[in-house]
Amino acid sequence: MSLKVGDIITFERSFSERDVELFSEISGDEGAHHKMPDEQGKLVVQGLLTATLPTKVGGDYNVMARNMNFEFLRPVFTGDTIICEVTIEKYEKQEKNRSSIRASFLCNNQHGKEVLKGEFSGVIL
């Protein structure tokens, strides 16, 4: 899978109550808002669980991240569909068959509202 500056990679997923429960168990992030449904019966998805969207794209391209910056803009709820667009900002070949990469990302919910944005950089192994 070859990448170049300007490429946009899109990934989307919805988060279930089970996803939130499992992430709570693994991370210890067990705030009441992750365990008690709101008036619509939905849980708030942990921010770092939402942040797995751009990291999944990085994993698809074998990126070893060195820096990650996240800005959490609004809550994500169980049942929401989040669309993540990762834009390649820098891609340079290095020695030893490695490449350096820098990318920005923007995640929107199914209503087109921004929920998460940021950037990451690292090397492709």
Side-chain angles (χ1 to χ4, degrees), residues 43-56:
L43 298 174
V44 175
V45 175
Q46 292 92 342
L48 288 178
L49 179 53
T50 305
T52 63
L53 289 161
T55 64
K56 189 264 188 226

Side-chain angles (χ1 to χ4, degrees), residues 50-67:
T50 305
T52 63
L53 289 161
T55 64
K56 189 264 188 226
V57 172
D60 288 348
Y61 290 87
N62 210 23
V63 174
M64 181 183 290
R66 291 197 172 148
N67 295 296

Side-chain angles (χ1 to χ4, degrees), residues 3 24 58-59 65 71 75 77 82 104:
L3 291 173
S24 289
E71 185 176 348
F77 296 92
I82 307 302
S104 60

Side-chain angles (χ1 to χ4, degrees), residues 2-117:
S2 180
L3 291 173
K4 64 184 181 308
V5 172
D7 282 353
I8 298 174
I9 303 142
T10 303
F11 175 69
E12 75 176 58
R13 80 172 277 197
S14 297
F15 294 99
S16 68
E17 286 185 26
R18 184 69 180 140
D19 294 329
V20 172
E21 290 169 8
L22 288 170
F23 195 81
S24 289
E25 289 176 28
I26 292 168
S27 68
D29 185 352
E30 297 181 341
H33 51 293
H34 302 311
K35 295 182 147 261
M36 305 242 328
D38 66 6
E39 60 279 348
Q40 296 176 353
K42 297 180 178 187
L43 298 174
V44 175
V45 175
Q46 292 92 342
L48 288 178
L49 179 53
T50 305
T52 63
L53 289 161
T55 64
K56 189 264 188 226
V57 172
D60 288 348
Y61 290 87
N62 210 23
V63 174
M64 181 183 290
R66 291 197 172 148
N67 295 296
M68 300 181 91
N69 180 36
F70 299 102
E71 185 176 348
F72 301 94
L73 303 169
R74 64 177 24 117
V76 171
F77 296 92
T78 52
D80 285 353
T81 298
I82 307 302
I83 302 96
C84 182
E85 288 189 350
V86 176
T87 303
I88 307 305
E89 306 287 344
K90 174 185 161 191
Y91 184 84
E92 295 178 349
K93 295 282 187 190
Q94 294 181 328
E95 55 190 67
K96 298 183 183 179
N97 296 327
R98 292 187 180 193
S99 300
S100 63
I101 188 170
R102 187 179 71 243
S104 60
F105 56 85
L106 180 61
C107 300
N108 294 314
N109 65 18
Q110 69 274 12
H111 305 294
K113 302 285 186 177
E114 294 180 359
V115 298
L116 174 67
K117 67 180 180 178

